[in-house]
């Protein structure tokens, strides 16, 4: 029994089912992480037969992404405190109407499931949870109140057409045109697609990685590069939760020697040239950072430390460290600590190789990558607009007149495969970049 247990992480195992014993053993559980297993039903046998006391009265987060869940039972509504539900990348064909009866459910991720209701499938890729629950509550698939909802949509379309005919819709069109543009280059269209091979050892250290190539950025005008680096730091603080759930790495594509391998190495063998430092072994780098942290504490007379020193504890107890290795055998990324000086981004950089790693879930990597691409697109637009109005003498590779401000950035798909060449993840897939669709126009 674990009467005080609040959080349980069973991710990245091979679990096929969970029994009701957990509800009895951990009645105070608030967070249950089950991603990356082989679960086929949820809640399945996790909930004991109905009757007092209610099982998991405090469970607010349930993460079961990247499983084999084909059935999401109506008894999910028996979790009174559930606020966040993640069942992305499973095998669900239906979503139960009982989800709408979860009194506190605020965030739900159903992406990556082949739902029979194609309208619902579109909604889960682009709508807020509230709208999805309303659709389920109405009966979905044209039942009950859903028919009136459909009529409401048709009415709005008619009104929009009337506005357009009368000239009132021009503002809406201007807003649509002004949205940031991103064009996806599919692997099948790319003569030399980049591939990342993943070794089997990473699953016990930092299992998840998502990568892509982003072409057409402009870091030359003014302080564009500084703003780019500041943006990355803010994402690490916010959506990456101080790198505890995910870590971002950005590289100059021209300096990346493909093919790449995501691997693990012992601390006394892993060598890297960290940003702004000389080549050093990982164990020596961590020791050096630890000493710097102690010195920083003494000088500033406080407990908190800044910079890389805050992330040292994330590698505590690891026999091997994760790393991204290029074709020349050089480590270009050592998450969650640092990138390599070898692929450092400069003002002249136009094309980026982006990576996001996590030991939590694949979906978190994708969500962070979605946000990263959006933020880069926003910075790129801002840099071009500032250049246009600044009268700077800096030469650009392309003209920055009004006709060029909305040139799309190109996102090239990158395949992540295992050592046998079997596909593990392709980013961006057709369901990716949906979380930022309200601010980004994606040309697929």
């Amino acid at each position: 029994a674990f009467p005080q247990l609040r959080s349980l992480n069973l991710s990245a195992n091979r679990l096929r089912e969970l029994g009701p014993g957990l509800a009895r053993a951990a009645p105070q559980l608030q967070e249950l992480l089950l991603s990356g297993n082989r679960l086929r039903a949820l809640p399945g046998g996790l909930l004991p037969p109905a009757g007092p006391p209610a099982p998991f009265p405090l469970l607010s987060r349930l993460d079961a992404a990247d499983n084999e869940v084909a059935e999401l039972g109506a008894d999910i509504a028996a979790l009174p405190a559930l606020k966040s539900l993640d069942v992305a990348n499973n095998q669900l064909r239906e979503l139960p109407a009982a989800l709408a009866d979860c009194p506190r459910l605020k965030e739900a991720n159903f992406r990556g499931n082949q739902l029979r209701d194609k309208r619902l499938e579109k909604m889960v890729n682009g709508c807020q949870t509230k709208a999805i629950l309303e659709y389920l509550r109405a009966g979905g698939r044209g039942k009950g109140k859903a028919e009136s909802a459909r009529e409401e949509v048709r009415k709005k379309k008619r009104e929009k057409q009337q506005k357009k005919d009368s000239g009132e819709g021009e503002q809406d069109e201007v807003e649509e045109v002004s949205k940031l543009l991103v064009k996806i280059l599919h692997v099948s269209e790319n003569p030399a697609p980049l591939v990342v091979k993943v070794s089997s050892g990473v699953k016990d250290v930092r299992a998840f990685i998502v990568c892509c190539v982003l072409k057409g950025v402009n870091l030359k005008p003014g302080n564009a590069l500084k703003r780019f680096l500041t943006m990355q730091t803010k994402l690490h603080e916010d959506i990456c939760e101080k790198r505890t759930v995910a870590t971002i790495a950005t590289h100059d594509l021209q300096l990346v020697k493909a093919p790449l391998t995501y691997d693990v190495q012992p601390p006394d063998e892993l060598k890297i040239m960290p940003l702004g430092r000389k080549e050093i072994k990982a164990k020596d780098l961590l020791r050096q950072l630890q000493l710097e942290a102690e010195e920083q504490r003494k000088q500033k007379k406080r407990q908190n430390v800044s910079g890389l020193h805050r992330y040292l504890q994330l590698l505590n107890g690891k026999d091997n460290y994760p790393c991204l290795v290029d074709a020349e055998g050089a480590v270009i990324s050592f998450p969650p600590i640092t990138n390599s000086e070898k692929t450092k981004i400069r003002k002249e950089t136009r094309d980026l190789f982006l990576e996001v790693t996590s030991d939590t879930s694949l979906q978190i990597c994708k969500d962070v990558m979605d946000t990263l691409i959006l933020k880069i697109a926003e910075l790129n637009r801002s840099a071009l607009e500032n250049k246009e109005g600044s009268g700077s003498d800096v030469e650009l590779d392309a003209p920055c007149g009004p006709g060029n401000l909305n040139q799309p950035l190109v996102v090239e798909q990158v395949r992540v495969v295992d050592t046998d060449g079997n596909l593990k993840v392709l980013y961006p897939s057709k369901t990716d970049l949906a979380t930022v669709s309200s601010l980004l126009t994606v040309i697929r």
Side-chain angles (χ1 to χ4, degrees):
F2 302 98
Q4 302 302 319
L5 189 66
R6 299 289 192 274
S7 177
L8 180 61
N9 187 349
L10 298 172
S11 301
N13 285 285
R14 297 181 180 179
L15 299 173
R16 293 188 182 277
E17 59 183 337
L18 288 169
L22 183 59
R24 292 188 290 267
Q28 302 295 309
L29 202 63
Q30 298 175 12
E31 180 180 69
L32 180 57
L33 309 180
L34 303 170
S35 64
N37 282 289
R38 298 177 182 177
L39 300 174
R40 295 176 180 174
L42 196 76
L46 188 62
L47 302 180
F56 299 118
L58 303 178
L59 187 67
S60 62
R61 179 186 176 191
L62 179 57
D63 182 351
D66 303 298
N67 276 277
E68 301 170 7
V69 177
E71 178 189 353
L72 186 61
D75 46 352
I76 192 77
L79 300 172
L82 188 64
K83 293 181 180 179
S84 174
L85 174 66
D86 190 346
V87 286
N89 303 317
N90 277 284
Q91 298 173 11
L92 293 171
R93 302 286 286 162
E94 305 277 357
L95 296 181
L99 276 169
D101 297 327
C102 294
R104 298 191 179 183
L105 189 60
K106 302 295 184 187
E107 298 177 6
N109 185 358
F110 305 112
R111 291 191 294 273
N113 288 286
Q114 301 296 317
L115 300 175
R116 288 194 182 94
D117 186 340
K118 294 306 174 186
R119 182 184 176 197
L120 181 58
E121 188 171 42
K122 287 183 179 179
M123 291 181 72
V124 303
N125 289 330
C127 294
Q128 294 182 346
T129 300
K130 183 179 179 181
I132 296 169
L133 296 181
E134 285 293 335
Y135 181 74
L136 293 173
R137 183 177 289 111
R141 306 194 77 178
K143 300 173 187 173
K145 297 178 184 176
E147 188 58 43
S148 61
R150 212 174 261 164
E151 179 57 36
E152 184 67 24
V153 170
R154 286 196 286 265
K155 181 181 176 183
K156 287 182 179 179
K157 282 186 178 179
R158 287 195 299 269
E159 290 175 351
K160 185 176 180 181
Q161 186 61 43
Q162 290 170 357
K163 280 184 179 181
K164 189 174 181 180
D165 294 342
S166 64
E168 295 177 16
E170 291 180 5
Q171 182 62 34
D172 293 336
E173 291 184 7
V174 170
E175 289 178 3
E176 183 66 26
V177 169
S178 68
K179 284 174 72 173
L180 300 158
L181 288 179
V182 165
K183 177 175 171 45
I184 295 176
L185 181 65
H186 297 266
V187 167
S188 58
E189 304 165 340
N190 191 345
L194 199 150
V195 177
V196 177
K197 186 175 290 187
V198 176
S199 74
S200 58
V202 301
K203 70 178 184 298
D204 299 320
V205 179
R206 195 175 185 85
F208 307 102
I209 183 170
V210 166
C211 305
C212 71
V213 167
L214 187 63
K215 291 189 170 181
V217 300
N218 189 349
L219 300 173
K220 285 184 178 180
N223 62 350
L225 178 58
K226 182 178 179 181
R227 292 176 65 201
F228 175 88
L229 299 174
T230 300
M231 171 272 296
Q232 192 171 326
T233 300
K234 286 182 178 178
L235 289 181
H236 272 144
E237 289 292 311
D238 299 333
I239 191 172
C240 296
E241 297 181 23
K242 294 183 169 63
R243 303 196 193 187
T244 57
V245 298
T247 305
I248 297 166
T250 55
H251 309 267
D252 186 327
L253 180 67
Q254 303 303 317
L255 304 175
V256 173
K257 307 299 180 185
L260 301 173
T261 304
Y262 184 47
D263 201 358
V264 292
Q265 294 182 16
D268 57 350
E269 292 182 17
L270 193 161
K271 288 183 179 179
I272 186 171
M273 185 182 293
L275 291 169
R277 298 173 185 254
K278 296 180 180 179
E279 187 176 68
I280 189 173
K281 289 182 178 179
K283 68 171 185 178
D284 296 329
L285 173 61
L286 264 62
R287 188 183 301 119
Q288 192 177 95
L289 291 171
Q290 193 64 53
L291 291 173
E292 291 175 5
E294 294 298 331
E295 186 63 29
Q296 194 179 93
R297 284 193 189 96
K298 290 177 183 177
Q299 288 180 357
K300 297 188 176 181
K301 295 181 180 179
R302 63 184 186 187
Q303 289 298 313
N304 296 331
V305 292
S306 59
L308 299 178
H309 314 96
R310 292 177 294 173
Y311 311 124
L312 299 180
Q313 77 279 3
L314 299 178
L315 292 172
N316 286 349
K318 304 286 188 187
D319 295 327
N320 290 298
Y321 292 164
C323 56
L324 192 63
V325 184
D326 71 6
E328 297 175 344
V331 173
I332 64 170
S333 179
F334 171 27
I337 303 300
T338 185
N339 293 1
S340 170
E341 186 74 19
K342 181 177 181 181
T343 55
K344 180 180 178 180
I345 290 175
R346 297 167 174 79
K347 272 186 171 288
E348 295 73 30
T349 300
R350 291 301 304 267
D351 303 330
L352 305 175
F353 173 68
L354 310 177
E355 63 165 287
V356 177
T357 60
S358 172
D359 61 359
T360 304
S361 82
L362 180 63
Q363 190 59 48
I364 284 174
C365 289
K366 290 187 169 192
D367 291 345
V368 171
M369 186 69 85
D370 287 357
T371 306
L372 176 62
I373 290 173
L374 170 65
K375 293 300 181 183
I376 294 175
E378 289 175 345
L379 287 177
N380 209 51
R381 166 72 70 83
S382 175
L384 289 172
E385 288 174 341
N386 290 340
K387 169 64 180 73
E388 184 192 14
S390 67
S392 167
D393 294 329
V394 178
E395 284 283 336
L396 294 180
D397 296 343
C400 281
N404 197 55
L405 282 177
N406 215 26
Q407 287 295 308
L409 290 170
V410 176
V411 184
E412 292 185 5
Q413 290 181 320
V414 170
R415 297 169 66 240
V416 175
V417 302
D418 62 20
T419 50
D420 295 324
N422 300 312
L423 182 66
K424 291 177 69 68
V425 60
L426 174 71
Y427 183 92
S429 69
K430 63 180 181 179
T431 59
D432 295 323
L433 292 169
T435 57
V436 293
S437 59
S438 61
L439 299 169
L440 206 62
T441 297
V442 182
I443 305 170
R444 298 187 185 273

